[in-house]
Amino acid sequence: MTVQTQTPPTVSDMRSAADRLRGLAVETPLIESPALNERYGARILFKAEVLQRTGSFKFRGAYNKISSLSDEERRRGVVAFSSGNHAQGVAASAALFGIDALIAMPSDAPAIKVANVKKAGAKVVHFDRVRDDRMTFVKPYLEEGRVLVPPYDDPAIVAGQGTIGLELIAQSERLGVKLDAVIAPCGGGGLIGGISLAVKDALPETSIWAVEPENFDDTGRSLAAGSRVSNAPGHTSICDALMVSEPGAFTFEINRKTLSGAVAVSDSEVKAAIRDAMAFLKLVVEPGGAVGLAAITSGKIDIAGKTVAVVLSGGNVDYDAYAGIIGGA
Amino acid sequence: MTVQTQTPPTVSDMRSAADRLRGLAVETPLIESPALNERYGARILFKAEVLQRTGSFKFRGAYNKISSLSDEERRRGVVAFSSGNHAQGVAASAALFGIDALIAMPSDAPAIKVANVKKAGAKVVHFDRVRDDRMTFVKPYLEEGRVLVPPYDDPAIVAGQGTIGLELIAQSERLGVKLDAVIAPCGGGGLIGGISLAVKDALPETSIWAVEPENFDDTGRSLAAGSRVSNAPGHTSICDALMVSEPGAFTFEINRKTLSGAVAVSDSEVKAAIRDAMAFLKLVVEPGGAVGLAAITSGKIDIAGKTVAVVLSGGNVDYDAYAGIIGGA
């Protein structure tokens, strides 16, 4: 079965994922800054996935995927490739199930992410982000019998990330507000794919916006082209979590139907957003996690008069990198 | 009426304060790190007052105090002295009531605190932390007719801070845990006074620990002496929010009965705790707000095998100061 023939997860699949995650994943709070609301003439509800177990949303999908495996599959152990947040999600989930995990990480992954994966008890092997093809690199481990936990192109992963959408719906109802828009980071598209399926089901008029780093705006250009296009090679970004070569095949089939659009933000816009998150929200947000806020602070998404949810997807950033961004104002 | 003859707030006073604060103050979440729990063999529930309106717990007491004034008193305007967090709490509360506020701040207060007070619409005047007596400095403003909003030595202030205790009780019940101890920062003693009154009423066996900066351990030494003693002059600390000369008269009468003890932490222990809060909790905590965590990470309070709540009381720290602490690991 190729990924293209898989069906997107339903809201019922996401509810099952939420049941599995209960007591393990954090129902992350919506955080608000009266000062930021005033500055943008809007109501901004920040979904603080930086406070999620492992410091990013990735735990949700990884745990749900490993839950969906058979006992026999779990005994064989799992393998994953990831710049770090998915790696930590898989490592922590495997530890909770008491199974073996091997993670392939790019050699330039942030040190804190590598350290956390090892601390969770997983084995780490390194690949070269530019030179190595990820699937070719992990093939020998699959041949050993390990089961792949893909970073995004998988219904169980997307269902896990979709639990953020279910929480956003319930939390905004409790606040008595109607969400005009949801703004979320986009790398391979699993996070925004899951959220958009959940939100569009309950709130069909809410618009969903993807935010990507400049030069990694493959989803934005693919939406415009009507089919998947790749990023030009040779670029880099401070948003290590969002550096993909093209949208996922499975996730793009979802996102082409659910997204209102995508915008791209520069490294300096992301740094300004990280500083704002520190000063106004008191949250540590990593570069890839801050692109949604950067889309607002840079004026690329106009939210005046609206109520919007912005997903701060992760907070795993090295001390020195973070100090450099905060001190570089 | 002198402060010594005032009665401590009751739990009913705190419930009234909670009613007034509803929809304005944040019911701040309890945040947990599986990695920190494992490191200390304990369950640590961090009460994240850094996520409170104005970035610290001080909004609770200030708003409750201004609520308790008569319309006539509010028309005369308010005055407060504060290194910054109480100042922001008073300024934001005054703005919500549409009344005039004048804040006396030490000339070395963090720039972010001064800027936030001005942004909230309050007037700022500066005093010298060492040279000027605070009450003498604000006397002319009181003679103008302004009403003082004291930083801690006041029943309405203590009742407002006590709403944190009410939330801790309800939140720990929802989690199904019994709190063995509550650990909170201590400057003048209003925060820990309010919390201890609320917690001891519902959970008399829970111990309450105050944490102070080294050389500003007046509450610890006063508890040992059985009466209020002052700090030796000439010292400084990175914990600008906790630099008092002696315990409050009103708050010490509460704390001498409710506290199990007090410990003092050094600047370098506080810096290490701030880095841990960044890496494990993804929360920006200011020096004075991090002393409770520092008491644990330095080993000064042993929590092995226990369930404890640690109050992270504020997150208002300048970019450069914070970058210096995070980058200085």
Side-chain angles (χ1 to χ4, degrees):
Chain A
M1 187 166 85
T2 65
V3 286
Q4 286 81 352
T5 65
Q6 293 179 311
T7 355
T10 62
V11 169
S12 161
D13 295 330
M14 296 180 201
R15 294 223 174 88
S16 303
D19 287 341
R20 293 187 195 109
L21 290 168
R22 194 156 294 125
L24 294 172
V26 179
E27 185 183 324
T28 53
L30 289 185
I31 288 172
E32 229 177 321
S33 158
L36 284 181
N37 284 347
E38 197 181 324
R39 194 206 273 177
Y40 297 105
R43 186 159 184 191
I44 316 175
L45 305 167
F46 292 96
K47 182 68 170 162
E49 282 295 297
V50 303
L51 304 176
Q52 187 50 264
R53 191 171 194 135
T54 73
S56 91
F57 73 97
K58 288 282 193 180
F59 175 75
R60 297 176 185 257
Y63 187 87
N64 190 50
K65 174 69 180 178
I66 295 179
S67 299
S68 76
L69 301 179
S70 68
D71 286 348
E72 188 276 329
E73 287 174 310
R74 280 198 288 260
R75 267 194 296 275
R76 282 152 48 196
V78 294
V79 60
F81 48 86
S82 158
S83 80
N85 282 335
H86 178 57
Q88 290 177 77
V90 172
S93 301
L96 287 168
F97 277 102
I99 67 171
D100 192 87
L102 183 140
I103 316 282
M105 300 182 75
S107 39
D108 63 351
I112 187 178
K113 293 180 175 178
V114 178
N116 286 343
V117 167
K118 289 181 178 167
K119 219 185 293 172
K123 298 181 192 77
V124 173
V125 289
H126 287 289
F127 66 86
D128 185 290
R129 195 191 280 276
V130 177
R131 197 191 55 215
D132 294 323
D133 175 72
R134 286 153 172 73
M135 279 309 294
T136 311
F137 188 84
V138 300
K139 198 157 169 261
Y141 306 107
L142 297 174
E143 285 168 359
E144 274 176 32
R146 289 180 182 272
V147 179
L148 181 68
V149 182
Y152 42 82
D153 241 359
D154 183 281
I157 297 285
V158 172
Q161 324 306 29
T163 59
I164 298 171
L166 299 182
E167 290 175 17
L168 279 178
I169 295 160
Q171 291 171 315
S172 60
E173 269 173 15
R174 283 202 290 274
L175 286 174
V177 298
K178 200 192 131 290
L179 293 176
D180 295 306
V182 176
I183 301 171
C186 183
L191 170 66
I192 201 158
I195 292 174
S196 67
L197 285 173
V199 170
K200 282 291 187 184
D201 180 79
L203 307 166
E205 287 167 27
T206 301
S207 57
I208 317 282
W209 290 87
V211 187
E212 301 176 285
E214 272 183 9
N215 300 315
F216 294 87
D217 58 341
D218 46 290
T219 290
R221 289 183 299 105
S222 297
L223 289 173
S227 64
R228 291 195 297 150
V229 296
S230 298
N231 294 312
H235 290 289
T236 191
S237 162
I238 58 167
C239 301
D240 60 275
L242 303 179
M243 288 161 70
V244 297
S245 56
E246 59 179 5
F250 176 67
T251 49
F252 186 67
E253 281 309 301
I254 296 169
N255 292 331
R256 66 190 302 172
K257 293 171 193 139
T258 53
L259 300 195
S260 295
V263 299
V265 291
S266 69
D267 279 3
S268 67
E269 288 164 346
V270 169
K271 289 178 184 177
I274 289 171
R275 286 192 289 267
D276 279 345
M278 180 239 154
F280 292 99
L281 304 173
K282 313 302 178 191
L283 293 175
V284 176
V285 187
E286 66 178 275
V291 295
L293 176 55
I296 292 173
T297 57
S298 65
K300 287 181 175 167
I301 297 181
D302 180 13
I303 59 165
K306 299 197 171 119
T307 299
V308 301
V310 175
V311 181
L312 302 174
S313 55
N316 294 314
V317 50
D318 284 344
Y319 294 116
D320 286 348
Y322 191 63
I325 292 169
I326 297 301
Chain B
M1 189 167 84
T2 66
V3 288
Q4 283 81 351
T5 65
Q6 292 180 312
T7 356
T10 63
V11 169
S12 161
D13 295 331
M14 296 180 201
R15 293 223 174 90
S16 302
D19 287 340
R20 292 186 195 109
L21 289 168
R22 193 155 295 125
L24 294 173
V26 178
E27 184 183 326
T28 53
L30 288 184
I31 288 171
E32 230 178 320
S33 158
L36 284 182
N37 284 347
E38 196 180 325
R39 194 205 273 178
Y40 297 104
R43 186 157 185 195
I44 317 175
L45 305 167
F46 292 96
K47 182 67 171 162
E49 283 294 296
V50 303
L51 304 177
Q52 188 50 264
R53 189 170 194 137
T54 72
S56 92
F57 73 98
K58 287 282 193 179
F59 175 74
R60 298 176 186 257
Y63 187 85
N64 191 51
K65 174 67 180 177
I66 295 179
S67 298
S68 75
L69 301 180
S70 67
D71 286 347
E72 188 274 330
E73 285 174 310
R74 280 198 287 262
R75 265 194 298 275
R76 283 153 46 197
V78 294
V79 61
F81 48 86
S82 159
S83 81
N85 283 334
H86 178 57
Q88 290 177 76
V90 172
S93 301
L96 287 167
F97 278 103
I99 67 170
D100 192 88
L102 184 139
I103 317 282
M105 301 183 73
S107 40
D108 62 351
I112 187 178
K113 294 180 176 179
V114 179
N116 287 342
V117 168
K118 290 182 178 168
K119 219 186 292 171
K123 297 180 193 78
V124 173
V125 289
H126 288 290
F127 66 88
D128 185 291
R129 196 191 280 274
V130 177
R131 196 191 57 215
D132 294 323
D133 175 71
R134 287 154 172 74
M135 278 308 293
T136 312
F137 189 83
V138 300
K139 198 158 169 260
Y141 305 107
L142 297 173
E143 286 168 358
E144 275 176 32
R146 290 181 182 272
V147 179
L148 181 68
V149 182
Y152 41 82
D153 241 359
D154 182 283
I157 297 285
V158 172
Q161 324 307 28
T163 60
I164 297 172
L166 298 181
E167 291 175 16
L168 278 177
I169 296 160
Q171 290 172 316
S172 60
E173 269 174 15
R174 283 202 291 272
L175 286 173
V177 299
K178 199 191 131 292
L179 293 176
D180 296 305
V182 176
I183 301 170
C186 184
L191 170 66
I192 201 156
I195 292 175
S196 67
L197 285 174
V199 170
K200 282 289 186 186
D201 181 80
L203 307 166
E205 288 167 26
T206 301
S207 57
I208 317 281
W209 290 88
V211 188
E212 300 176 286
E214 271 182 10
N215 300 315
F216 295 87
D217 58 342
D218 46 289
T219 289
R221 290 183 299 104
S222 298
L223 289 173
S227 64
R228 290 193 299 150
V229 297
S230 298
N231 294 311
H235 290 288
T236 190
S237 162
I238 58 167
C239 301
D240 59 275
L242 303 178
M243 289 160 70
V244 296
S245 56
E246 58 179 6
F250 176 68
T251 50
F252 186 66
E253 281 309 301
I254 296 169
N255 292 330
R256 67 191 299 173
K257 294 172 191 139
T258 54
L259 300 195
S260 294
V263 300
V265 291
S266 70
D267 279 2
S268 67
E269 289 165 346
V270 170
K271 289 178 185 176
I274 289 172
R275 285 191 288 267
D276 278 345
M278 181 238 153
F280 292 99
L281 303 172
K282 313 303 178 190
L283 293 177
V284 176
V285 187
E286 66 179 276
V291 294
L293 175 56
I296 292 174
T297 58
S298 66
K300 289 182 176 167
I301 298 181
D302 180 14
I303 59 165
K306 300 200 171 113
T307 299
V308 300
V310 175
V311 182
L312 302 173
S313 55
N316 295 314
V317 48
D318 284 345
Y319 294 117
D320 285 349
Y322 191 64
I325 293 169
I326 296 302

